[in-house]
Amino acid sequence: MYLVCGEALFDFFCQPGARHSELNFQALAGGSPFNVALGLCRLGVEAALFGAISSDYLGQRLRQVLLEEGVSDRYLIASEAPTTLAMVAVDAQGSPQYMFRGEGCADRQLLPEHLPLLDARVSGLHVGSYSLVVTPIADTLLALVRRESGQRLISLDPNVRLNPAPDIALWRQRIESFAAHAHLIKVSEEDLGLLYPGVEPLTIVERWLAQRCQLVFLTRGSEGASVFSRQHGQWSIAARTVVTRDTVGAGDSFQAAIIAYLVEQGLDSPEALATLSREHIDAMLGFAVQAAALTCSRVGPQLPYRHELAGYQAVGTSEAQ
């Protein structure tokens, strides 16, 4: 089981076609960690979400969606606080613009006393998005990864969202704290530009790889993606050619596919990650790019199912030795 940690919320997408005095919205369950957990289950990986979810109507709907998708509710914490709302507008290039209504909401109310004891079934943890920065959840998750990074795979996706936490210096400090305990990091070119303006990505990546991290994946939107391996150097692959409807959820699809590949191949441990062959890493990168491209061809965070990626050919696990 992979334990995804962080927020669950509702995205309210502004729909075109309303009269000038109206706004039409479509509400979809979301939040980056929520999406990754759901995406893992769709790719055939057992997953659970560790987070606080409201007892209000929207929170009940979030629980229902998770259960319907097969995400375990074992680590969910009930909260009387309301559900966070994210207002989303998509620009002409399909990129989302977010406005959050989340101060004092349920997803932030994850406290140190909520930290679970994990058994051997949990092979790894994923953290990301604004749960890394807003308190008290940020402190709780940092305590969790510090406690577990010596024995379980830790994956990190900064997924910077400045609206709920506009202090970029705080983002940098928090990301570096989490990166020191992560074995695998996925980051977008846009995120690095926000976090470290004017700094070459390789400078940041090399700092991360000098710590526990073994692999860094850098996504570049329509330009494809790159991987940086402590053992095998760096290389890139092109993006898949698709008609892009929007890019909502593409990064979460990429992240879920990376984790799913490792689980599927029996490589979801810090020790196995350090022994990956270049062939394994290249296959994992191609699988993730394929998953992200499929999501871009759809409206909203419609993460793919495993059978939709049937053209993907895995590398035999024996080659990882």
Side-chain angles (χ1 to χ4, degrees):
M1 174 186 287
Y2 215 88
L3 183 61
V4 184
C5 310
E7 71 266 15
L9 50 81
F10 261 92
D11 290 317
F12 282 73
F13 288 84
C14 188
Q15 302 295 301
R19 296 184 299 178
H20 70 279
S21 60
E22 297 177 349
L23 288 175
N24 291 337
F25 287 99
Q26 179 186 21
L28 296 176
S32 179
F34 178 98
N35 289 338
V36 172
L38 183 150
L40 285 172
C41 285
R42 289 188 175 187
L43 293 174
V45 173
E46 187 180 4
L49 182 66
F50 174 47
I53 289 187
S54 176
S55 58
D56 66 14
Y57 172 73
L58 294 177
Q60 293 175 41
R61 290 287 291 170
L62 288 171
R63 281 183 179 269
Q64 180 181 344
V65 173
L66 289 170
L67 292 175
E68 288 175 352
E69 293 284 351
V71 180
S72 172
D73 63 353
R74 178 179 178 181
Y75 299 99
L76 293 181
I77 305 298
S79 172
E80 295 301 314
T83 299
T84 290
L85 307 181
M87 319 305 288
V88 188
V90 178
D91 65 20
Q93 288 72 47
S95 297
Q97 308 296 318
Y98 293 91
M99 293 185 295
F100 290 84
R101 302 292 185 268
E103 188 67 33
C105 287
D107 56 298
R108 305 186 184 203
Q109 308 309 311
L110 201 65
L111 304 173
E113 55 260 37
H114 295 141
L115 285 174
L117 294 177
L118 305 179
D119 59 29
R121 290 182 59 208
V122 179
S123 63
L125 302 114
H126 174 71
V127 293
S129 196
Y130 69 79
S131 290
L132 305 175
V133 178
V134 299
T135 55
I137 184 176
D139 296 332
T140 302
L141 295 186
L142 184 56
L144 180 64
V145 300
R146 280 174 174 162
R147 190 188 78 187
E148 299 294 334
S149 61
Q151 55 188 327
R152 301 177 212 275
L153 186 67
I154 307 294
S155 56
L156 167 68
D157 175 10
N159 196 29
V160 178
R161 295 288 179 261
L162 292 180
N163 188 275
D167 186 347
I168 195 63
L170 177 60
W171 272 96
R172 279 193 292 269
Q173 183 268 321
R174 286 290 186 171
I175 295 305
E176 292 300 330
S177 295
F178 280 93
H181 302 282
H183 306 101
L184 184 157
I185 300 173
K186 192 277 286 184
V187 65
S188 71
E189 195 170 50
E190 180 181 6
D191 283 346
L192 284 185
L194 289 170
L195 290 166
Y196 307 101
V199 180
E200 283 294 318
L202 185 59
T203 301
I204 310 305
V205 169
E206 287 179 340
R207 181 168 72 243
W208 289 343
L209 289 175
Q211 302 178 90
R212 290 194 180 215
C213 187
Q214 293 288 333
L215 289 174
V216 177
F217 291 91
L218 177 62
T219 59
R220 305 178 186 271
S222 62
E223 300 301 313
S226 302
V227 62
F228 302 81
S229 164
R230 187 189 295 184
Q231 300 296 325
H232 304 292
Q234 67 181 86
W235 65 96
S236 303
I237 66 171
R240 296 293 181 97
T241 301
V242 296
V243 176
T244 299
R245 305 290 297 279
D246 66 46
T247 63
V248 178
D252 299 330
S253 293
F254 191 102
Q255 181 69 63
I258 289 171
I259 297 170
Y261 180 94
L262 292 172
V263 174
E264 189 175 85
Q265 298 285 293
L267 301 169
D268 51 330
S269 70
E271 297 76 19
L273 195 70
T275 69
L276 287 184
S277 67
R278 182 185 172 110
E279 290 75 19
H280 263 300
I281 298 170
D282 201 46
M284 179 164 45
L285 180 59
F287 185 45
V289 166
Q290 183 182 9
L294 185 55
T295 302
C296 288
S297 71
R298 301 165 169 174
V299 176
Q302 301 298 324
L303 280 69
Y305 291 90
R306 188 64 181 82
H307 70 269
E308 296 179 298
L309 304 174
Y312 152 74
Q313 297 295 319
V315 176
T317 54
S318 62
E319 295 184 25
Q321 304 304 316

